[in-house]
């Protein structure tokens, strides 16, 4: 059995992994709500492909 070291302070520091998990969740929700397979355009919309993302420090 593998053991995973606990994260100090209980917070996750990998923001990229959290963003990927959120996008996967969004895609799963969209797929489960669809009556048929998602089109490539629908997948791009769910994953927000082509949207401009603000860089840290912008604003």
């Amino acid at each position: 059995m593998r053991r995973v070291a606990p994260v100090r302070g209980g917070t996750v520091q990998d923001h990229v992994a959290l963003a990927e998990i959120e996008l996967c969740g969004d895609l799963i929700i969209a797929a489960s709500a669809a009556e048929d397979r998602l089109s490539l355009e629908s997948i791009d919309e769910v994953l927000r492909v082509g949207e401009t993302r603000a860089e840290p420090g912008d604003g």
Side-chain angles (χ1 to χ4, degrees), residues 15-54:
H15 300 288
V16 173
L18 287 176
E20 289 177 359
I21 291 167
E22 182 179 351
L23 290 174
C24 287
D26 292 345
L27 192 55
I28 291 168
I29 291 167
S32 66
E35 292 183 19
D36 202 3
R37 296 180 81 169
L38 294 176
S39 67
L40 293 177
E41 292 80 14
S42 296
I43 292 170
D44 286 349
E45 184 178 326
V46 170
L47 297 178
R48 299 183 289 273
V49 172
E51 284 187 12
T52 304
R53 293 181 179 90

